[in-house]
Amino acid sequence: MKSLAIRILDPRLGQEWPLPHYASAGAAGMDLRACLDAPLQLMPGQAELVSAGFAMHIGDSGVTALLLPRSGLGHRGLVLGNLVGLIDSDYQGPLKVSLWNRSGEKLHIEAGERIAQLILVPVLRPRLEIVDDFAPTSRGEGGFGSTGNH
């Protein structure tokens, strides 16, 4: 994938605030900004949908986009209301971020503040194969905690 088609919905994006971008040469996620008309106060337990200021179209069925919290904000309690956002390759609508304050304190979000990150990942869409049994493995059907505390 060489490019990602976006349509600017908030004229401040790319003018007052940078377009979504990678903050460092090794960054996996592009920072997304809160395109708000006024600062947002998120009370403990409150969730709000916040515009990222653009629409996007991936256009490649072998790629999907994931929305993730920013590490520092997540540690302070600002996470995504749906935990991880999934954007299908054929979606062309506005990008909105479900912000959820899981902390016990009020959180203040400024217009233009970096609120989440967007990563693009490959998608595998396998054909299902019905089988009677699986080839044995050392783990087998062992579930939660079955591999021990090594």
Side-chain angles (χ1 to χ4, degrees):
M1 170 173 245
K2 305 250 187 234
S3 64
L4 176 64
I6 69 168
R7 186 169 40 93
I8 303 296
L9 302 176
D10 188 315
R12 298 171 294 180
L13 201 59
Q15 300 297 318
E16 292 177 43
W17 310 316
L19 290 171
H21 67 283
Y22 298 98
S24 72
M30 283 188 259
D31 288 332
L32 302 180
R33 297 188 179 267
C35 292
L36 299 165
D37 293 326
L40 174 64
Q41 301 293 328
L42 270 182
M43 301 307 288
Q46 182 182 359
E48 290 289 331
L49 271 179
V50 174
S51 173
F54 65 97
M56 62 184 265
H57 181 214
I58 298 169
D60 177 344
S61 63
V63 176
T64 192
L66 300 176
L67 294 175
L68 302 168
R70 295 191 66 235
S71 300
L73 293 177
H75 180 71
R76 291 197 331 248
L78 185 64
V79 296
L80 302 186
N82 53 346
L83 303 182
V84 174
L86 174 69
I87 302 163
D88 295 319
S89 65
D90 54 354
Y91 179 68
Q92 297 181 357
L95 195 63
K96 296 197 178 199
V97 181
S98 176
L99 296 179
W100 172 41
N101 179 358
R102 67 175 178 93
S103 80
E105 299 178 16
K106 176 172 61 174
L107 294 176
H108 181 83
I109 299 157
E110 288 289 334
E113 183 177 341
R114 294 179 300 161
I115 54 167
Q117 52 189 331
L118 174 84
I119 65 170
L120 297 168
V121 295
V123 172
L124 300 175
R125 296 181 64 185
R127 173 184 48 81
L128 296 182
E129 178 183 350
I130 308 296
V131 298
D132 292 326
D133 288 306
F134 300 114
T137 65
S138 61
R139 183 172 183 170
E141 293 184 16
F144 293 107
S146 67
T147 60
N149 296 324
H150 303 292

